Amino acid sequence: MKVLMRGNEAMAEAAIRAGCRCYFCYPITPQGELVEYMARHLPRHGGVFLQAESEVAAINMVYGAAAAGARTMTSSSSPGISLKMEGISYLAGARLPAVIVNVMRAGPGLGNIAPAQGDYFQATKGGGHGDYRLIVLAPSTVQEAAELVMLAFDLSDRYRVPAMILADGMLGQMMEPVELPEPILPQMIPPKPWALTGAKDRAPNVVSSFDLDPYRFREILRALWEIYREIERNEVRWEEYETGDAELVLVAYGTMGRICRTVVRQARREGLRVGLFRPITLWPFPSEPLRELSHRVPVLLTVELSAGQMWEDVRLAVEGRAKTPFYGELGGVVPTPDEILSEVKRYVRG
Amino acid sequence: MSVVEAKVPAGFVPVYTRPKSLSEKRFTYCPGCHHGIITRLVAEAIDELGIQERTVGIAPVGCAVFLYEFFRCDFAQAAHGRACAVATGIKRANPDLIVFTYQGDGDLAAIGAAETIHAANRGENITVIFVNNQIYGMTGGEMAPTTLPGMRTVTTPEGRDVRITGYPLRMSEMLAQLDGPAYITRQAVFDVRHVQMARKAIVKAFKNQIEGKGFSLVEIVAACPTNLHIPPVEASRWVTEQALKYFPLGDLKVRD
Amino acid sequence: METGIVFAGFGGQGILLAGKVLARAAMEEGFEVTWLPSYGPEMRGGTANCTVVIADEPVGSPIVDTPWILVAMNGPSLERFSPRVAKGGLIIVNASLVSQKVERADVRILLIPLNDIAQELGEPRCANMVALGATVRGLGLFSLDPVLVAMEEELGTRGREKLVEVNRQALLRGYSFLNALR
Ligand SMILES: Cc1ncc(C[n+]2csc(CCOP(=O)(O)OP(=O)(O)O)c2C)c(N)n1
Ligand code: SF4
Ligand SMILES: [Mg+2]
């Protein structure tokens, strides 16, 4: 059955259905409805809803709940995610699974509350300190937002790597019909023998990212990077739309991805052979399929609500095999399909 | 939008004019919000002490974020909760400036609690205006550390349960325990008499800074009619009947 | 087919609800649909608006530059959005509150005394549903039936039968009003 839901609410409901029973937050626009939904619904499922005194506290509560073995989540928007970055680095270092939702708004600084995609670098390149990666999932519809929240919990538990949902203000605020995923059963959550449950009949467990011995720490990180390589092999996700005969392919994710779908339809109606490549996992980035595409498509036009961040990964993947121009908007301005289409027409003719 | 000042007919003396240190910009607060009164009181104090040209304000993140548009003096906009740290930096860099912060209860007492306590403890020679409206106004009415027990907010839909989220935080009482601060007082603006008292306290808090006395904080128990979902008049009554039970008015520390 | 509808007015006029009811009805009728509200302190200024996009393919942008229908519940909304309405589109003006003229010859304009009708029906808050009734007729994509159902579901039925009934009347009144234009 389809229901009409806001992106923020659908993500909250999906988290509950994924078995999240500990949620910690600090209010910020434009993800307020996620917080409110959790406040109303999570306690009814026997879960913990707690508003922390800051984002710094909230992410460290997540660290605690994850260490105790719970499925746990926090959500915020750009300025608040910056504050969470220290804690996220600690989660990554201590190998704790957790889900972090970033409903992006325009920055830097206080910026404004309009939708933007300026936190791509922060999410995918390690906004906190040290050698780590986050699994980063970028939904472009409310339906996908719900599904990716479920997936984020699964991947995070499976690899013991924190996962981030990178959404934006538009997706958080808008309502769309959604078919909510079925709730998982508790036995579907993998066992967590490393969790802090009390050292009864076993040696004590320690959750830590601290190691003074560089050689030993190197081995820990090498093992971690082995897991990152495994994630890169197994978990790359993307969508292609009308790329078969395309002379130009738009590369866009999230909100920009859905808008570019409209651009493709309009372009096709005008006889232009345009397609869309939409990364769903931003890390691991779908470099391979993009590289494939660059062998047969002469122009890959990246479109972002930023000054060009994912663009760098596109160029790294393509390595000069195709033209890789960029089109973006700043400050929370969302370009219209028409504006993007006229940019497209600079490169292809019908 | 600009505000049109009424022409004063000959023979009449204006007794209520726009403070010099306020700009033409119309306040963006909701109708009946106590922020409007408090913002004006700060401007009046700056006028009275003649310090407009050497005053620097720090705007918080909260409904008062637009302060830099309302005042005709230099302003910095700080990250959420960090106003006292930013004020410290400005004051230390140039002690001749008169530096004040203007912060909500979420800003000052939740996310910024550490900065506030440590600025107070250092006896930082700054002036802090603390608007305690028991709610996060700007983000749409979430619980603040000052929210009253049982009070319904969007994050305490069943009312604040002190067993889960603790008790209203009495920041001024806590700060008054420290050796650093010179002046900590709690005021309100729900009627004319209290507005006058609050005005005096704000003037004193600025005067302390001019005289080098150190950290001065004026807490003002205020109402946010929008998130209380009641008309302004009732909101004022709510302050007197509910909020003051937890936040009694008066001086908590005066070092002369 | 992709049609944008903008509802705009004061906060408290039920702008967001009207949009939601329409979106819900469209969903039940099998259309692709998005609903996007104005959000944040923008609403503090006392204005509210929302955009509904109804389409037969997945909706790209939930923002529309040129809405096919504008419902202007007050003067400032008319001023702000009327220049953007698509040629041949429809502007529904709340004649109870708006006195200024619409300076467009290339769109259809429907003046409805929304508040007066709501007052007549004994429920001042149902002006939004009168507007929605007219919108549905102007849209011509589906009948009023799914809208009546969606309204009932949005309002919640328990203990609110009277409210639902008044809103039903309001929708019907709005729906029949467009006859005047045809
Ligand atoms: C780091 C960070 N977290 C959260 C926010 C969102 N935010 C904006 S204002 C605000 C709280 C405002 O409450 P308060 O300080 O009490 O001020 P009021 O609006 O009530 O005057 C919050 C949490 C933000 N801008 N930055
Ligand atoms: S939301 Fe509350 S605190 Fe903010 S301006 Fe409105 S009444 Fe004042
Ligand atoms: Mg407050």
Side-chain angles (χ1 to χ4, degrees), chain A residues 6-8 11 29-34 76-78 101-106 113-119 137-142 145 165-174 252-259 282 304-305 332-334, chain C residues 36 39 62-63:
Chain A
R6 287 205 199 216
N8 282 334
M11 288 191 281
T29 312
Q31 60 87 58
E33 297 77 16
L34 207 168
S76 188
S77 175
S78 309
V101 176
N102 181 1
V103 182
M104 288 185 282
R105 55 188 245 183
I113 56 178
Q117 297 180 320
D119 303 351
L137 307 173
S140 80
T141 63
V142 173
I165 301 290
L166 201 62
D168 64 66
M170 191 140 99
L171 195 60
Q173 291 297 321
M174 68 187 273
Y253 71 94
T255 281
M256 218 48 253
R258 65 181 294 150
I259 294 174
L282 299 181
E304 289 180 74
L305 299 175
V333 176
V334 180
Chain C
L36 184 72
Y39 61 90
I63 302 175

Side-chain angles (χ1 to χ4, degrees), chain A residues 26-29 35-36 39-40 49-51 53-55 83 110, chain B residues 61 65 77 80 82 106 110-111 136 139 142-143 154-155 157 164:
Chain A
Y26 188 78
I28 188 165
T29 312
V35 170
E36 289 177 34
R40 272 182 281 123
F49 167 88
L50 192 58
Q51 182 185 327
E53 67 272 28
S54 68
E55 289 87 352
L83 285 175
L110 194 53
Chain B
V61 177
V65 67
Q77 199 286 314
H80 191 28
R82 318 300 177 206
I111 192 166
Y136 285 34
T139 37
E142 296 85 358
M143 182 191 74
V154 297
T155 49
I164 297 171

Side-chain angles (χ1 to χ4, degrees), chain B residues 19-143:
Chain B
K20 226 164 60 121
S21 47
L22 282 186
S23 71
E24 297 285 285
K25 170 88 184 172
R26 225 156 88 190
F27 289 172
T28 45
Y29 306 125
C30 306
C33 175
H34 286 185
H35 266 301
I37 303 169
I38 300 161
T39 301
R40 186 186 160 97
L41 290 183
V42 173
E44 287 180 359
I46 292 171
D47 282 6
E48 180 176 330
L49 296 167
I51 52 172
Q52 181 191 348
E53 290 175 354
R54 61 183 180 119
T55 295
V56 175
I58 321 291
V61 177
C63 286
V65 67
F66 296 111
L67 276 187
Y68 54 83
E69 292 191 358
F70 307 156
F71 278 87
R72 233 194 277 268
C73 62
D74 283 357
F75 248 90
Q77 199 286 314
H80 191 28
R82 318 300 177 206
C84 281
V86 174
T88 298
I90 293 175
K91 187 72 183 181
R92 295 277 177 135
N94 186 351
D96 293 337
L97 295 173
I98 302 300
V99 183
F100 79 94
T101 74
Y102 181 117
Q103 302 173 255
D105 42 355
D107 196 80
L108 181 139
I111 192 166
E115 282 79 357
T116 310
I117 290 170
H118 288 280
N121 193 48
R122 288 191 303 266
E124 217 50 74
N125 191 25
I126 58 172
T127 302
V128 175
I129 310 299
F130 167 29
V131 181
N132 170 3
N133 58 7
Q134 303 101 56
I135 199 101
Y136 285 34
M138 172 163 250
T139 37
E142 296 85 358
M143 182 191 74

Side-chain angles (χ1 to χ4, degrees), chain A residues 5 8-18 37-38 41 45 180:
Chain A
M5 265 183 138
N8 282 334
E9 294 173 337
M11 288 191 281
E13 177 60 32
I16 294 171
R17 289 173 180 234
Y37 193 96
M38 284 303 218
H41 292 89
H45 291 84
L180 288 163

